Amino acid sequence: MSNNEMARLERASFGSKLGVILATAGSAVGLGNVWRFPYMTGENGGAVFIIIYVVCVLLLGIPCMISEFIVGRHGQANTARSFRKLAGGTPWAVIGYMGVLTGFLITGYYAVVSGWCLQYIWASLVGHLQGDPEYFKAYFSELSSDPVKPVLWTIVMLGITYLIVEHGVRNGIERASKLLMPTLFLLLLVIVAASCMLPNAGKGIAFLFKPDFSKISGNVFLGALGQSFYSLSIAMGCICTYASYFSRQTNLTKSAVQIGIIDSLVAILAGLMIFPAAFSVGVNPDSGPSLIFITLPNVFAQAFASVPVVGYMVSLLFFVLLTLAALTSLMSLHEVSTAFFQEELFITRKKAALLVSVSTAVIGAFCSLSLGAVDGFVIFGRSLFDWFDFITGQVFLPIVGFLTCIFIGWYVPHKIVHDEFTNWGTLNGRFFHFYIFSVKYVCPLAILMIFLHQLGLLG
Ligand code: PHE
């Protein structure tokens, strides 16, 4: 028996196809879908942005996801070790370490934003989300700059994640995903229905689905491209780590397509939840990152003013949904480092998970405190929070994504790639050439363009 087969036998794995899809889609569906996608759509012209986004997911995001699947399933280990195996002693192994580092650094930051969601659930429950637009603005800035509350919520969020991850791949992550993802979908449909029944909702629907091609620009294109990578959780170690729990029967291409479709669908439904309500009360949908925490509570309060009970419920359900989406992504981020520490430090899963929760809570606390609670965390005009967002999302993500494509496209023997792609010849490899062409040329070029664009050097 080869080493790889032994590793496969000893290693944890997902128990079913559905588990694979729901857990990985859970990683992909996150704050990016419900928070970032709608405001990017608002800022970038609506329907046109959505069309370009879907094309980016299909032609670029999915090939990148398949590449990470291949590395992870072949490696049967944490992301760093999986890359190391394929790199065979060459410096290419660095990509895996960078992926783990990116995942690790973003965990704390992501937990802070997830923690805000918890606070908003609480606020909805006790009826604090009522007032005029100024009130909502003040509420959010008070919360984010508070020295204690957001830190506590961050710890709570990481604590919940710990309890899930600690239970292992099948009993923790897979089980939780099978419960959380359908719940999330159901909540989404309920809120979409409530939002689309409001007067004037049609305007919001038209904004989302009637393309105005005069809005196309380099910015719209690169924005959609960047969003598609972020939304699919690419280049953070998550996809690669989860793929190491896939079985030899998992069809990588089909799974990537299914996950891409679920992720895009949730993003578009999130738009359908937000824009009809926003248009119905005449609020501009291009209000940027504050859309979710400032604009939206106000929109819900106004839109359902005549039936406050419905307004109350919609707001509560919305933040529950946001928290569930954040939690499933946080689980995958947490797992990247948990698997890494467990396997590289030879410690138990429990210890590894605890180490990750505690260390990322410290990072999260610093990030949170840098938003106004404590002076001195502003470096070169950016808060620590913004630095984490910038370095992980805009620097590491494109670099790791770019290198992964080059690695698979140009370095790893095509025989290995083909074997994984076709499950050792048992699946049809019709799209293999298209896939290789994409990861060799198209994806690296596209990622390079996003990178230069984000640094202000292009578009
Ligand atoms: N894809 C997640 C989202 O849409 C974000 C994320 C990125 C999660 C990377 C994990 C890893 O919110």
Side-chain angles (χ1 to χ4, degrees):
M1 203 185 288
S2 73
N3 280 349
N4 241 12
E5 275 165 69
M6 289 211 338
R8 201 181 291 277
L9 286 180
E10 283 164 21
R11 197 173 163 73
S13 64
F14 288 121
S16 65
K17 258 191 218 158
L18 185 69
V20 164
I21 300 295
L22 291 183
T24 318
S27 169
V29 171
L31 295 168
N33 301 60
V34 191
W35 174 41
R36 202 158 177 266
F37 180 83
Y39 82 72
M40 293 283 288
T41 306
E43 284 178 344
N44 288 295
V48 168
F49 178 83
I50 297 186
I51 294 173
I52 299 177
Y53 175 81
V54 172
V55 172
C56 289
V57 167
L58 294 177
L59 296 185
L60 302 163
I62 288 177
C64 287
M65 184 177 263
I66 296 175
S67 303
E68 283 198 41
F69 278 170
I70 289 177
V71 176
R73 189 174 66 171
H74 182 83
Q76 293 291 301
N78 68 78
T79 300
R81 189 175 294 192
S82 291
F83 271 91
R84 218 161 62 212
K85 278 188 184 164
L86 278 174
T90 63
W92 286 106
V94 172
I95 310 172
Y97 288 90
M98 279 182 73
V100 174
L101 182 67
T102 315
F104 178 73
L105 292 179
I106 213 171
T107 309
Y109 151 89
Y110 205 83
V112 174
V113 184
S114 315
W116 294 343
C117 304
L118 281 181
Q119 163 77 26
Y120 272 74
I121 293 186
W122 171 247
S124 313
L125 263 179
V126 294
H128 281 172
L129 289 187
Q130 279 156 9
D132 57 12
E134 281 311 307
Y135 168 81
F136 288 109
K137 229 190 204 155
Y139 187 88
F140 180 67
S141 74
E142 250 169 56
L143 167 68
S144 57
S145 60
D146 189 284
V148 182
K149 261 194 227 159
V151 176
L152 287 180
W153 286 123
T154 303
I155 295 173
V156 171
M157 203 66 199
L158 281 166
I160 299 173
T161 312
Y162 168 80
L163 290 177
I164 296 172
V165 170
E166 177 234 18
H167 274 89
V169 175
R170 222 176 262 199
N171 287 331
I173 294 173
E174 182 172 351
R175 219 153 146 213
S177 306
K178 280 185 172 165
L179 180 74
L180 300 177
M181 292 302 286
T183 313
L184 181 145
F185 216 71
L186 199 71
L187 289 180
L188 198 57
L189 293 180
V190 170
I191 304 175
V192 167
S195 178
C196 287
M197 280 186 318
L198 288 167
N200 281 329
K203 276 196 210 153
I205 299 175
F207 178 77
L208 277 176
F209 294 120
K210 255 206 193 138
D212 172 358
F213 289 102
S214 66
K215 295 260 170 66
I216 294 188
S217 69
N219 261 342
V220 172
F221 184 75
L222 293 170
L225 201 56
Q227 170 65 14
S228 66
F229 281 87
Y230 179 81
S231 189
L232 292 175
S233 302
I234 283 166
M236 304 262 181
C238 299
I239 298 298
C240 189
T241 305
Y242 274 10
S244 73
Y245 307 127
F246 288 5
S247 78
R248 282 170 78 93
Q249 280 77 40
T250 307
N251 182 334
L252 301 186
T253 309
K254 197 167 151 199
S255 306
V257 171
Q258 286 172 339
I259 292 157
I261 291 175
I262 296 179
D263 188 62
S264 307
L265 200 66
V266 171
I268 294 171
L269 284 173
L272 264 181
M273 179 166 77
I274 291 167
F275 291 111
F279 274 91
S280 107
V281 289
V283 168
N284 228 346
D286 59 357
S287 55
S290 61
L291 181 72
I292 290 290
F293 293 107
I294 299 176
T295 315
L296 214 58
N298 170 41
V299 163
F300 286 149
Q302 279 190 44
F304 298 101
S306 55
V307 249
V309 186
V310 180
Y312 173 90
M313 283 309 290
V314 167
S315 161
L316 176 63
L317 294 182
F318 174 78
F319 286 107
V320 171
L321 172 129
L322 197 59
T323 308
L324 297 186
L327 179 62
T328 48
S329 295
L330 198 56
M331 273 155 38
S332 73
L333 285 165
H334 197 287
E335 179 60 22
V336 173
S337 314
T338 303
F340 176 79
F341 286 132
Q342 184 189 352
E343 290 166 4
E344 300 300 313
L345 302 180
F346 302 102
I347 54 180
T348 60
R349 181 173 189 83
K350 263 196 177 144
K351 276 199 190 129
L354 192 64
L355 184 63
V356 176
S357 293
V358 172
S359 50
T360 53
V362 173
I363 295 179
F366 279 113
C367 278
S368 177
L369 293 175
S370 75
L371 288 176
V374 177
D375 289 339
F377 285 142
V378 176
I379 308 158
F380 296 122
R382 261 183 224 261
S383 65
L384 203 61
F385 184 91
D386 290 343
W387 271 113
F388 269 88
D389 184 34
F390 175 73
I391 302 244
T392 50
Q394 306 200 15
V395 180
F396 280 16
L397 187 152
I399 292 178
V400 175
F402 177 84
L403 291 176
T404 305
C405 291
I406 300 284
F407 180 57
I408 289 286
W410 296 87
Y411 176 79
V412 176
H414 280 185
K415 161 98 178 60
I416 296 183
V417 180
H418 188 264
D419 277 351
E420 292 288 341
F421 192 88
T422 60
N423 286 358
W424 299 269
T426 58
L427 296 173
N428 184 326
R430 221 175 338 152
F431 293 112
F432 185 69
H433 292 292
F434 170 78
Y435 161 72
I436 284 289
F437 180 77
S438 187
V439 285
K440 246 180 146 163
Y441 305 103
V442 189
C443 296
L445 197 69
I447 298 174
L448 197 65
M449 280 165 56
I450 312 180
F451 189 47
L452 297 178
H453 167 69
Q454 282 172 341
L455 295 181
L457 302 172
L458 184 78

